[in-house]
Amino acid sequence: MIYKQKYYYICKTPLSAEGPEDVEVVDRADNSNEFPELFKKFEDLRSHAFNDDDIYSIVRADDIYDLLRTGTEKEAKEMAYDRAEPEIITNLQHRVMQGKDKNAKAILKEVHQIDA
């Protein structure tokens, strides 16, 4: 078995993301000692999406943030997009249903091939 160094990554996936190339790596921790500070930053970045009961709500998110552990930045972006895609669709569908958001409707149709 070949040992592969892994890092912790915070990734930001915008609601308009079309693929891993649209994912941004916000920060990285090289070892476990740096993890608590990275985790605090992760929680701060996604704090806007918590409701009054301190429960994370995907429909309140402006961007999808994920905390991942993997080997390379490219792998982190791919993993973040794969994880975020169902949440993005849920968020956009909610925006369409609640506010008749034309931009969200267009993203669903063009990017995800979903008629809303």
Side-chain angles (χ1 to χ4, degrees):
M1 181 174 176
I2 298 174
Y3 175 76
K4 184 176 176 184
Q5 179 70 35
K6 293 194 175 185
Y7 306 97
Y8 298 98
Y9 294 90
I10 296 176
C11 294
K12 172 184 166 186
T13 307
L15 296 177
S16 60
E18 295 182 31
E21 64 278 356
D22 296 324
V23 175
E24 174 189 350
V25 172
V26 177
D27 205 351
R28 178 180 113 170
D30 294 336
N31 58 54
S32 297
N33 295 334
E34 297 173 355
F35 181 78
E37 186 177 324
L38 188 75
F39 186 77
K40 169 91 171 89
K41 184 173 184 175
F42 169 68
E43 288 294 301
D44 289 344
L45 287 169
R46 48 181 263 172
S47 65
H48 70 279
F50 284 83
N51 64 19
D52 294 336
D53 296 323
D54 284 335
I55 297 173
Y56 181 76
S57 173
I58 191 61
V59 298
R60 295 173 55 99
D62 294 327
D63 295 297
I64 309 299
Y65 289 94
D66 217 337
L67 183 59
L68 308 162
R69 184 169 185 245
T70 191
T72 67
E73 188 171 306
K74 181 181 180 206
E75 290 172 350
K77 287 180 174 189
E78 289 169 353
M79 190 182 296
Y81 182 75
D82 287 345
R83 288 175 137 190
E85 190 171 25
E87 294 181 341
I88 290 169
I89 291 170
T90 299
N91 182 299
L92 293 171
Q93 286 174 329
H94 180 78
R95 289 172 187 244
V96 169
M97 288 187 314
Q98 294 300 312
K100 308 295 184 215
D101 187 327
K102 290 180 183 179
N103 190 42
K105 189 172 186 173
I107 293 170
L108 279 171
K109 186 173 183 173
E110 296 298 318
V111 176
H112 303 286
Q113 288 77 44
I114 296 174
D115 267 333

